[in-house]
Amino acid sequence: MPRYNPKHYNSRAYKPGHYSAYPRERRPTPRKAWRYTVAAVCLLLIFLFLTSSSPRPAPKETAQPVDPFGRDPIERVEKDDKKPKWEEHEGWLVPFSDTITKNRSLILLAPSREHPLIYTFYDAEGERDEQVKTAESKLLQIWKRAWRAKGFKPVILGRAETVRNPLYETLKVVEDQNAKLWHEISRWLAWEQVGAAGALVDWLAVPMGSDDEDDVLAFLRRGEFTTITTYEGLASGLLTGAKASIRDTLEGVLDSVNLSNFKSLLDVLPSEILSKKPQPSFLAFYSSTTLATHYESISATLTISKAAGLASLAELITSHLHLAFLNTLSAIEVLTSHTPSSLILAAPALVLANALTTCPSSPIPNSCPPNQRTCKPCSPSSSSSSHPHPIKTAKSYTKNSTLFTITPVPHPYTLSSLLHPSSILIVSHIRRTPARDPWIRSITPSKPLSGLYSLLDFKSTIARETETEAGLWFPAEDELAWSRESIESRLGFEVTAYTPCKYSNRDLTALMAFAQKEEEESEHLSITQLKAQRNIFMRSQSALGISAKRRREDMEVVDAAGSWHLADLEAWGFVTAMGERERRALEDS
């Protein structure tokens, strides 16, 4: 038995025989520890190599989500900013899209209606002055925008389509006999070459005014064309017909003699192969005859300077489109929020409403469109008619065919932030909110029991008004939705007085004056309070990722607000998706 040595062992823990029976565990030397580490790393690498090289089992197929309404499910789209956040589906009219998609970021929209084709012919290769080309491009843009707003797909044909037609070389002999007649034949050659059903319209023939009771417009939208059809008072301004009828007409020109005596292709054709219908009330045709009869000053300017005359004509047509729009309305209504603390949301709608009710400038003041000779003129020089239509505010939506409603739709985070202006919005503030979905309930008071029925009314209303041009619904935070290009593409004409709202002090002052005039509860609203609302609104734009990168803490609050107010979130997402689809369609065209 070893002898006790107090220098090596603790006297309190030592007992005779203890060290010999249970020797103390010694720590490994540094060299041994390094070997263990290398061995562990080698084993780990071998394990990773074996697992990666072995074949992986195929993933199990997951069942498609079941639609509680009995409709076919659609493919689930994962959240990705590069992918569209909407999907067209027959079962779109449900309160919440994620009951079918199982994805809150994917919104169901109604299938897009088919846009019938409408053609015009423009020879861009002809010799002309640059100023003339610029003025003609402006008129073509007016033509395309107006027809697109009516639900058509406008297509501009040119010399390229004419040359590709097999009858081009045969009919080219007409060019030496009658240059004017050859230009009209070129239109028909290009029209027949495209081969698709569609009407051929002059690019100075523009749809204008209400189209509720126009049979010709409904006929054009159906696209069921057979024989060549002309319309009284329009000459070649509007033609319809099937491809076979167009080819028969062009081949009939070859059998004609002495083509130099004819001014129009319609004069060459026998009357029995043509069908004639009454003049449509929706179409304004600014032909040379119409200009000489009703707009003498522009006709005279065209004889002096074609570029100046076409520029004046473009300004005249723009003013007539705006005037025809105003003549179908009794007032413009701005759907405001339900409390003065969120009045800032109505700022872009009010700016647009003021621009729409401002009389457009015109080279011929107090003039009317050629298809509406008994209109109510609007002249900016007259103070009494500078705002011919009143601007009204409303807290709830009312269906009225004579009202044009402009509605900003806020995200639940934006509205919650404005309703809690004293501090930064946090999740606990949202959870303490007693009433859910305050926005959708306020604009649909006829459905007070549940946000579900309010959502159904809301979606069907927006889908209807988007097709009938009875109102504009935009996400309040998206500046792109309130851009001039977006507004004018929806309306179908240029709003010359419109400058998008920048939330400047001038915009806030006009908003405060208007609110104090229209609403009693906004009498004590000050410009300082509106500036505070503006700061909250800008912060909300940043949190939503619209004007800046989103912070993580902002994302948590935004998601919490959307989860707490699901109906309001669905309404905002639906409007956003509708706007995105329209912008993509505009870019594709």
Side-chain angles (χ1 to χ4, degrees):
M1 179 177 180
R3 193 173 180 180
Y4 168 70
N5 189 351
K7 295 182 179 180
H8 296 87
Y9 304 101
N10 188 351
S11 59
R12 296 181 57 185
Y14 178 78
K15 292 182 181 180
H18 180 79
Y19 178 76
S20 301
Y22 305 97
R24 189 176 66 174
E25 182 180 357
R26 297 181 181 272
R27 295 183 179 178
T29 61
R31 187 174 181 180
K32 291 182 178 180
W34 178 80
R35 291 178 178 176
Y36 294 155
T37 304
V38 172
V41 172
C42 292
L43 290 174
L44 179 62
L45 292 176
I46 293 173
F47 174 76
L48 293 177
F49 174 76
L50 293 176
T51 55
S52 61
S53 60
S54 59
R56 296 183 179 180
K60 296 181 179 179
E61 295 184 359
T62 56
Q64 289 283 354
V66 179
D67 179 13
F69 295 88
R71 305 181 180 94
D72 295 333
I74 64 175
E75 295 183 359
R76 177 176 175 176
V77 178
E78 299 297 335
K79 187 175 182 180
D80 188 351
D81 292 338
K82 296 182 180 180
K83 295 182 180 179
K85 296 183 179 180
W86 50 269
E87 182 77 25
E88 295 182 355
H89 192 251
E90 293 292 342
W92 66 276
L93 193 56
V94 292
F96 298 105
S97 298
D98 60 355
T99 58
I100 298 177
T101 65
K102 305 305 178 184
N103 186 348
R104 190 182 295 177
S105 63
L106 182 62
I107 299 296
L108 296 180
L109 299 180
S112 300
R113 63 177 181 178
E114 185 178 356
H115 298 283
L117 294 170
I118 196 85
Y119 298 105
T120 193
F121 180 83
Y122 174 73
D123 187 3
E125 301 179 14
E127 296 183 1
R128 53 175 65 85
D129 185 78
E130 287 298 326
Q131 293 182 345
V132 173
K133 288 185 178 180
T134 301
E136 289 177 342
S137 298
K138 177 72 172 178
L139 287 167
L140 286 171
Q141 183 183 13
I142 293 173
W143 179 86
K144 286 186 66 175
R145 187 191 294 123
W147 281 103
R148 188 186 296 114
K150 291 295 183 181
F152 290 84
K153 184 178 181 179
V155 179
I156 300 177
L157 306 176
R159 184 178 295 184
E161 288 78 15
T162 301
V163 174
R164 287 200 298 267
N165 195 301
L167 296 176
Y168 172 75
E169 294 297 335
T170 307
L171 290 171
K172 200 174 186 304
V173 295
V174 181
E175 186 176 11
D176 299 331
Q177 303 178 28
N178 192 330
K180 186 175 181 180
L181 183 62
W182 168 247
H183 175 75
E184 189 168 351
I185 291 177
S186 298
R187 296 175 65 222
W188 285 63
L189 287 172
W191 184 25
E192 194 272 339
Q193 175 61 26
V194 291
L200 182 63
V201 187
D202 194 286
W203 47 277
L204 293 179
V206 183
M208 202 173 291
S210 177
D211 54 352
D212 295 337
E213 300 179 358
D214 197 290
D215 295 334
V216 177
L217 185 58
F219 170 70
L220 295 179
R221 285 173 174 164
R222 289 194 301 269
E224 300 172 355
F225 308 130
T226 52
T227 59
I228 299 297
T229 304
T230 61
Y231 299 85
E232 294 181 4
L234 298 180
S236 297
L238 174 61
L239 299 168
T240 59
K243 179 180 176 66
S245 300
I246 302 171
R247 176 169 285 273
D248 293 341
T249 302
L250 291 172
E251 291 176 348
V253 176
L254 298 174
D255 300 331
S256 302
V257 294
N258 197 13
L259 294 175
S260 59
N261 295 332
F262 296 100
K263 296 181 180 180
S264 172
L265 185 60
L266 299 179
D267 299 334
V268 181
L269 303 175
S271 58
E272 58 267 14
I273 70 173
L274 297 177
S275 174
K276 180 170 286 189
K277 289 188 176 183
Q279 182 175 356
S281 60
F282 79 96
L283 195 63
F285 185 27
Y286 294 83
S287 63
S288 56
T289 303
T290 301
L291 294 178
T293 304
H294 301 291
Y295 314 105
E296 297 87 350
S297 60
I298 292 182
S299 180
T301 305
L302 283 169
T303 58
I304 301 173
S305 172
K306 188 175 182 180
L310 291 176
S312 298
L313 179 59
E315 186 180 5
L316 178 70
I317 297 177
T318 299
S319 66
H320 284 174
L321 284 166
H322 194 160
L323 179 62
F325 166 78
L326 291 176
N327 276 203
T328 61
L329 305 174
S330 62
I332 292 181
E333 184 179 72
V334 176
L335 209 59
T336 60
S337 187
H338 55 289
T339 59
S341 61
S342 55
L343 184 63
I344 192 68
L345 298 175
L350 180 62
V351 171
L352 176 58
N354 282 324
L356 288 175
T357 55
T358 300
C359 291
S361 59
S362 173
I364 306 179
N366 299 320
S367 63
C368 291
N371 62 326
Q372 300 178 18
R373 302 306 305 167
T374 58
C375 73
K376 297 178 181 178
C378 179
S379 174
S381 60
S382 175
S383 59
S384 61
S385 62
S386 59
H387 284 276
H389 290 75
I391 302 175
K392 298 180 180 180
T393 60
K395 296 185 182 300
S396 60
Y397 172 77
T398 303
K399 183 180 178 181
N400 191 333
S401 59
T402 63
L403 288 178
F404 187 81
T405 306
I406 307 174
T407 309
V409 183
H411 190 279
Y413 175 81
T414 304
L415 187 59
S416 299
S417 299
L418 291 169
L419 297 179
H420 296 83
S422 58
S423 60
I424 301 297
L425 186 66
I426 58 177
V427 176
S428 60
H429 287 165
I430 298 173
R431 291 177 177 174
R432 287 197 297 265
T433 304
R436 293 191 173 188
D437 307 314
W439 187 84
I440 193 70
R441 291 175 183 272
S442 65
I443 69 166
T444 54
S446 59
K447 306 289 184 181
L449 298 179
S450 174
L452 301 181
Y453 297 102
S454 300
L455 270 176
L456 293 177
D457 282 357
F458 175 82
K459 289 184 176 183
S460 59
T461 297
I462 294 180
R464 180 183 66 252
E465 291 198 349
T466 301
E467 292 185 358
T468 59
E469 307 167 27
L472 296 174
W473 301 72
F474 294 115
E477 304 85 0
D478 190 0
E479 295 181 358
L480 186 60
W482 297 96
S483 65
R484 186 164 185 165
E485 181 182 8
S486 177
I487 296 296
E488 292 175 350
S489 66
R490 292 281 298 274
L491 294 174
F493 58 89
E494 181 183 1
V495 187
T496 56
Y498 178 61
T499 301
C501 178
K502 299 299 182 182
Y503 299 94
S504 62
N505 292 339
R506 180 179 180 181
D507 293 335
L508 298 185
T509 303
L511 176 62
M512 182 183 65
F514 178 78
Q516 291 176 346
K517 178 182 177 181
E518 295 291 326
E519 301 177 359
E520 296 181 358
E521 55 186 2
S522 300
E523 290 181 356
H524 304 290
L525 192 66
S526 64
I527 191 67
T528 304
Q529 292 173 317
L530 275 180
K531 289 182 178 179
Q533 292 184 24
R534 177 181 61 186
N535 295 335
I536 296 173
F537 181 79
M538 297 297 181
R539 189 170 65 224
S540 176
Q541 281 186 315
S542 176
L544 292 173
I546 294 175
S547 60
K549 293 183 178 180
R550 298 175 63 181
R551 299 184 303 168
R552 182 173 181 179
E553 50 269 28
D554 289 336
M555 294 175 62
E556 294 177 354
V557 183
V558 169
D559 293 341
S563 300
W564 194 254
H565 305 291
L566 286 175
D568 283 357
L569 178 65
E570 181 77 10
W572 180 86
F574 188 80
V575 172
T576 303
M578 290 282 288
E580 182 184 347
R581 182 172 69 173
E582 287 213 10
R583 284 195 294 269
R584 293 200 177 192
L586 182 62
E587 292 173 359
D588 294 340
S589 63

